[in-house]
Amino acid sequence: MRRALWLLMLVSLAKAETGREAWLRYRAIPTPLPSVVVRFGDEPEVIAAAKEVSRALEGFSGKAPLSRQSLVDNSVVLATARSLTNHLPGVSSLTDLEAGGYWLGTSTVKGKRVSFISGSDSAGVLHGAFAWIRHVAAGENVARLNEKSDPAAPIRWVNEWDNLDGTIERGYGGRSIFFENNNVVADLTRGGEYARLLSSVGINGCTVNNVNANPRALTSEFLPQIARIAEVFRPWGVKLSLSVDFASPKTIGGLDTFDPEDGRVVEWWKAKADEIYRLIPDFAGFVLKADSEGRAGPATYGRTHAQAANLLARALKPHGGVLVYRGFVYDHHADWRDLKKDRARAAYDNFQPLNGQFDDNVLVQVKYGPIDFQAREPVSPLIGALSKTNQTLELQITQEYTGQQRHLCYLAPMWKQVLDFDLRVGNERTPVNEIVAGKTFRRPLGGFVGVANVGRDENWLGHDLAMANLYAFGRLAWQPSLSAEEIAQEWTRQSFGNDKRVVSAITGLELDSWRVYEGYTGPLGLGTLTDILRGHYGPGIESAERNGWGQWIRADHEGIGMDRTVATGTGFIGQYPREVAHMYESLRECPDELVLFMHHLPYTYVLHSGKTIVQDVYDSHYQAAEAAQQFAIRWKALEGLIDEATFARVMNRLDYQAGHAIVWRDAICSWLLKESGIPDSKGRAGHFPGRTEAESMTLSGYTVKDVTPWEDASGGKAVTCEAPNQKCTASFTFAGTPGLYDIVVQYFDVNDGEARFQLNVGDRVLRAWIANDHFPTKALNGDSSTRVTLRKVRLKTNEIIKVESSPDGNDPGALDYVEVMPSR
Ligand code: GCV
């Protein structure tokens, strides 16, 4: 029997996995398990829970369990607390569970060994079922389980920024699983599968369309289509909500106004809510982005955010719906010359004065930091200020500013810092997670929202390891006290099995990844330092400066950083409660990791680390880029221990990340060297051993081009091959000693054609490839800069190394440099 199980396990390891099952893989587990699933109750969620447990048991044991509706030996029983008490009056089923909470237990009833999965309600049974499965998958002994668990907050939602045409704003895992061509897709299988994934980590709501909402979402023609999505969500206890356009009464409602104080507008929203609830009785509510980044809002009529929010909330109220109002409101035409202007102040300045004016079914959704999902930000001071307002904390699962799922960046450690941060409201312990959950200020509602943006890619987010972020968001929204490590381990065990080597390697990679990403991108609280005007992906340091978007870093030849102090700066720090404000205002106490968010300092300023700012940046970038090289090596060690297809997909991404981390390192260090004029005391910045710039090779057919921004190309230049049907060549003579070398060809792969490349050494063709990746740009810059690496190439002195490329469409087959280093 044991042998058969292990064989089964090996077979499942060998199966090519697509990632679609995510963490719900249900691989063989060599442990005795119940052979019967008993269900009491006919609620759709209880039925779904029982089916899920059956499915899991079949995967774990290799044998489909029997299904029953009465008690038998060696069974697992699923029921709400009430129906458990009705069927088995003597069995302890906790009655003090909160909505969605569950109890897992075991007992012997009339001589029969039984495991119980019970919930406060039918959603609780589902959550309990997935929790029970999680314990089994982790190889734990469920025969001794006795666990009661309640969610930390009632709102645990994801937002999807899906557009009705099928694109996704800031989505990196393919097109929408919900929409195409301004309609809901005919086949909603993926929508149902997604709801199952969400449910498995306790997420109970999903806003399916972009907060930059298309008014069509609310039209009578479209709503029945939306109702189809709600149907596939329903069995999984996931409620649907919609993002709405505030101008809808005018744009689709035929009115000449959308003034929240106009009676006709009030009536329009009421009628719209009634219409929706006729189609979707469990509709969760609306999400509204107003007066932000060009969206319509109450400012058009001189009304407040509270008036706008309450207008919609009152239409939803009779049906039990909520209105989530986004706190992400700021002026994106700010005057950068004005040293007192500060985008970081905006959320607080806009919403704090309205504290107490929002209805009880309104939640203000606050991004974790005062700017916009950067790799590191301080906690938004607005969170501590909304003492009489419900809130939700907005986290971002989709890695907009953190590598867009091409870079591994497990965000749970960052989220934990946010959730655990003690804002010291009233000089008392007031951690963010308790405030937003509604506990601190005893609010009726509160919670957590993650911007997920999953797509049609088989593995949902584009990077198999990024799924740890979706998983972690759900787990933290349920139980913020979990550690990032516990969550990474849970996720790894369920996704990749319980082999100790696998669990430790993958957990280790996940846990290191955010600090590594931060280390080679934006340092010391400066923000990610990406190109904020376009893709938010590669380096684009000065794109933050001298424009109205307000992500300024105020760098010049002398110093860098925003002065946000009360004493001499924008006064942002004064928005925090006293103790926190004191910490940030004082250079002695301000942590290094945020010092340039809070202060403008000379490059020579000595940090708590004992290093000058400039040296700290050089060091962190070299260390982190090296750590990113190690990620690929650490992953390589797992070959044969996880299924081949997943291994190869992740290997590919980590190899790419290793190269792109060097693009980042070089861009930031070269820029800093030029701006500050202060050399790297370790002699690395600006010196690139083994590197030959394309522009200094012997060129045939290529043209030398300046790259913008200059720091995104080595030496600020690239060579392009522009004449159609031409092959260009760039060559140089290898002057090193004979031996084994790694050769890197750094080139640009623009999203507009598929140029061909070839690398030759002497007469040997070492590699031919097509530049056909899909980076978010048509330009030569840090988004499109990428590499091919050939390892252990035997070279002789004076051999000619030659790169050839031929353009295709608007892709000019551009080359940056070739680097030849002894193999390590
Ligand atoms: C949906 C940032 C993103 C936008 C996003 C906006 C928001 O500005 O870049 O794509 O819009 O935040 O959160 O509303």
Side-chain angles (χ1 to χ4, degrees):
M1 176 65 187
R2 259 188 119 77
R3 219 178 112 78
L5 274 174
W6 282 110
L7 271 176
L8 204 81
M9 245 171 129
L10 287 179
V11 171
S12 71
L13 253 186
K15 195 179 83 185
E17 303 222 19
T18 61
R20 186 152 164 179
E21 296 288 314
W23 51 85
L24 301 178
R25 296 196 186 182
Y26 305 157
R27 292 199 184 83
I29 296 278
T31 200
L33 288 166
S35 55
V36 186
V37 175
V38 176
R39 166 171 62 81
F40 297 145
D42 288 326
E43 302 91 329
E45 287 143 316
V46 178
I47 293 174
K51 274 196 193 148
E52 192 66 30
V53 170
S54 295
R55 179 175 173 174
L57 284 173
E58 180 167 1
F60 292 145
S61 67
K63 192 163 174 263
L66 302 171
S67 296
R68 292 282 180 274
Q69 284 180 292
S70 61
L71 205 62
V72 290
D73 189 33
N74 195 23
S75 60
V76 53
V77 174
L78 293 99
T80 58
R82 178 181 302 172
S83 78
L84 193 60
T85 318
N86 289 345
H87 282 83
L88 303 171
V91 172
S92 131
S93 171
L94 303 176
T95 48
D96 59 344
L97 290 169
E98 287 174 22
Y102 63 82
W103 169 66
L104 309 177
T106 48
S107 184
T108 304
V109 185
K110 296 180 195 148
K112 299 180 176 90
R113 289 161 302 144
V114 186
S115 294
F116 292 104
I117 299 174
S118 178
S120 60
D121 46 27
S122 49
V125 178
L126 250 182
H127 300 145
F130 281 113
W132 188 84
I133 291 169
R134 184 160 61 234
H135 287 297
V136 178
E140 292 167 30
N141 183 355
V142 282
R144 293 210 192 91
L145 264 183
N146 184 6
E147 175 178 301
K148 171 188 179 263
S149 185
D150 283 322
I155 303 283
R156 305 177 306 279
W157 288 12
V158 283
N159 285 177
E160 311 295 330
W161 288 351
D162 293 31
N163 297 312
L164 306 192
D165 65 3
T167 58
I168 304 182
E169 183 158 349
R170 316 298 177 194
Y172 312 107
R175 292 174 72 80
S176 171
I177 59 172
F178 302 117
F179 306 111
E180 193 60 67
N181 290 327
N182 289 318
N183 283 306
V184 170
V185 293
D187 180 358
L188 280 168
T189 309
R190 290 295 294 268
E193 287 177 18
Y194 185 45
R196 171 173 167 254
L197 282 184
L198 297 177
S199 179
S200 76
V201 284
I203 295 170
N204 61 356
C206 176
T207 312
V208 292
N209 61 326
N210 192 352
V211 289
N212 291 325
N214 182 334
R216 174 171 161 75
L218 281 186
T219 56
S220 302
E221 179 203 349
F222 197 65
L223 284 171
Q225 300 193 35
I226 293 284
R228 288 183 40 238
I229 307 180
E231 269 160 38
V232 301
F233 282 2
R234 194 161 292 125
W236 301 106
V238 175
K239 292 194 171 142
L240 180 141
S241 49
L242 281 176
S243 298
V244 296
D245 177 23
F246 193 63
S248 295
K250 189 167 169 187
T251 45
I252 59 164
L255 301 182
D256 58 1
T257 178
F258 56 94
D259 180 353
E261 294 297 297
D262 187 306
R264 293 168 301 156
V265 171
V266 174
E267 282 313 309
W268 188 87
W269 281 107
K270 270 196 183 141
K272 190 48 79 181
D274 295 348
E275 179 186 353
I276 293 175
Y277 279 92
R278 278 195 297 276
L279 291 162
I280 310 172
D282 55 354
F283 183 67
F286 294 141
V287 176
L288 177 59
K289 172 175 176 181
D291 285 329
S292 168
E293 298 186 331
R295 304 297 306 172
T300 308
Y301 301 97
R303 312 294 184 199
T304 68
H305 297 299
Q307 284 170 304
N310 295 343
L311 163 75
L312 273 65
R314 286 169 197 170
L316 294 161
K317 177 104 178 170
H319 308 282
V322 299
L323 184 272
V324 180
Y325 199 94
R326 293 189 80 238
F328 183 64
V329 177
Y330 69 100
D331 172 13
H332 67 282
H333 297 291
D335 180 4
W336 58 271
R337 293 170 202 82
D338 181 348
L339 296 181
K340 294 288 175 191
K341 275 264 174 320
D342 186 359
R343 169 167 165 185
R345 293 188 58 109
Y348 183 102
D349 284 346
N350 279 304
F351 287 90
Q352 185 276 338
L354 301 173
N355 184 25
Q357 294 182 31
F358 294 94
D359 284 4
D360 267 3
N361 64 330
V362 174
L363 298 112
V364 174
Q365 181 161 310
V366 187
K367 288 193 183 184
Y368 63 83
I371 298 289
D372 191 12
F373 299 136
Q374 302 300 293
R376 187 185 293 271
E377 292 187 44
V379 157
S380 170
L382 178 61
I383 295 166
L386 293 180
S387 54
K388 296 183 202 140
T389 305
N390 304 323
Q391 3 179 356
T392 52
L393 178 72
E394 184 172 325
L395 300 173
Q396 202 183 37
I397 297 159
T398 190
Q399 294 170 228
E400 175 181 356
Y401 287 96
T402 49
Q404 305 194 349
Q405 282 109 270
R406 289 180 180 275
H407 292 234
L408 173 63
C409 190
Y410 174 56
L411 293 162
M414 185 234 267
W415 296 340
K416 276 297 286 181
Q417 289 198 353
V418 171
L419 292 167
D420 294 347
F421 188 81
D422 187 353
L423 273 162
R424 309 294 303 162
V425 180
N427 304 327
E428 284 179 8
R429 183 183 164 277
T430 50
V432 166
N433 73 80
E434 290 181 15
I435 298 178
V436 298
K439 293 182 177 137
T440 308
F441 301 127
R442 297 202 168 77
R443 301 297 314 160
L445 286 174
F448 307 87
V449 175
V451 180
N453 295 359
V454 297
R456 247 176 261 175
D457 282 3
E458 284 291 304
N459 65 1
W460 302 95
L461 284 171
H463 192 319
D464 292 76
L465 300 190
M467 289 300 274
N469 285 327
L470 180 59
Y471 182 86
F473 169 75
R475 295 292 286 130
L476 286 170
W478 185 279
Q479 189 181 339
S481 62
L482 287 169
S483 73
E485 182 172 2
E486 280 171 294
I487 297 172
Q489 281 189 359
E490 273 184 9
W491 174 80
T492 305
R493 285 177 185 282
Q494 291 169 81
S495 307
F496 295 101
N498 291 314
D499 182 322
K500 281 199 186 107
R501 293 163 297 178
V502 174
V503 174
S504 130
I506 298 182
T507 304
L509 279 168
E510 295 277 7
L511 286 172
D512 291 347
S513 60
W514 164 56
R515 283 188 185 78
V516 167
Y517 183 80
E518 183 193 23
Y520 58 73
T521 58
L524 304 170
L526 277 178
T528 305
L529 297 186
T530 186
D531 181 344
I532 67 145
L533 300 175
R534 279 162 285 268
H536 298 184
Y537 181 57
I541 306 162
E542 291 187 47
S543 66
E545 305 274 55
R546 295 173 288 281
N547 58 49
W549 290 96
Q551 287 187 222
W552 311 313
I553 56 170
R554 303 267 189 230
D556 57 26
H557 295 311
E558 304 299 324
I560 188 165
M562 275 287 282
D563 181 357
R564 293 191 158 106
T565 61
V566 175
T568 54
T570 67
F572 162 78
I573 292 175
Q575 295 182 336
Y576 287 99
R578 198 174 54 83
E579 292 178 35
V580 175
H582 176 79
M583 170 179 71
Y584 288 143
E585 183 89 4
S586 140
L587 269 172
R588 209 149 17 97
E589 290 186 36
C590 185
D592 285 352
E593 63 207 21
L594 283 172
V595 74
L596 296 180
F597 191 95
M598 304 293 176
H599 298 268
H600 180 83
L601 296 168
Y603 294 108
T604 49
Y605 177 82
V606 179
L607 299 162
H608 298 305
S609 66
K611 294 180 186 177
T612 58
I613 286 179
V614 66
Q615 194 56 44
D616 186 273
V617 177
Y618 292 141
D619 287 353
S620 65
H621 281 72
Y622 272 86
Q623 275 156 17
E626 176 53 32
Q629 314 307 301
Q630 295 301 320
F631 284 178
I633 295 166
R634 287 158 71 179
W635 183 258
K636 189 96 178 58
L638 295 177
E639 195 161 10
L641 297 178
I642 60 173
D643 78 279
E644 261 175 48
T646 314
F647 173 80
R649 281 195 303 274
V650 174
M651 193 70 250
N652 204 301
R653 295 256 148 163
L654 293 177
D655 272 338
Y656 165 78
Q657 180 177 1
H660 204 231
I662 290 174
V663 173
W664 267 100
R665 178 199 74 187
D666 292 352
I668 306 283
C669 292
S670 303
W671 175 87
L672 185 66
L673 179 63
K674 186 170 176 207
E675 192 71 20
S676 70
I678 303 171
D680 172 7
S681 66
K682 299 187 182 132
R684 297 157 302 185
H687 301 285
F688 304 108
R691 189 176 290 188
T692 307
E693 298 294 344
E695 56 274 20
S696 61
M697 295 180 193
T698 304
L699 301 178
S700 158
Y702 281 116
T703 313
V704 177
K705 278 273 163 65
D706 285 336
V707 166
T708 309
W710 65 268
E711 69 270 17
D712 282 9
S714 192
K717 294 183 193 311
V719 299
T720 58
C721 182
E722 290 183 17
N725 308 319
Q726 198 187 337
K727 190 181 280 174
C728 303
T729 62
S731 57
F732 64 99
T733 305
F734 173 66
T737 53
L740 286 181
Y741 289 87
D742 291 348
I743 305 180
V744 165
V745 180
Q746 190 76 30
Y747 65 103
F748 295 89
D749 181 351
V750 300
N751 208 356
D752 204 5
E754 300 186 350
R756 289 171 178 276
F757 285 82
Q758 187 170 301
L759 172 71
N760 296 2
V761 172
D763 299 337
R764 293 176 284 162
V765 177
L766 291 191
R767 177 78 60 89
W769 71 95
I770 300 174
N772 58 2
D773 212 324
H774 298 283
F775 298 114
T777 186
K778 293 184 177 171
L780 308 183
N781 59 29
D783 292 357
S784 53
S785 180
T786 186
R787 60 174 47 193
V788 155
T789 305
L790 287 95
R791 297 191 198 284
K792 299 204 168 32
V793 179
R794 190 161 293 286
L795 292 179
K796 292 186 228 141
T797 311
N798 290 333
E799 272 193 304
I800 304 292
I801 297 181
K802 183 171 80 178
V803 178
E804 294 178 0
S805 71
S806 358
D808 175 63
N810 290 318
D811 183 343
L815 177 67
D816 190 0
Y817 62 81
V818 173
E819 207 166 81
V820 182
M821 293 294 283
S823 289
R824 10 183 205 176

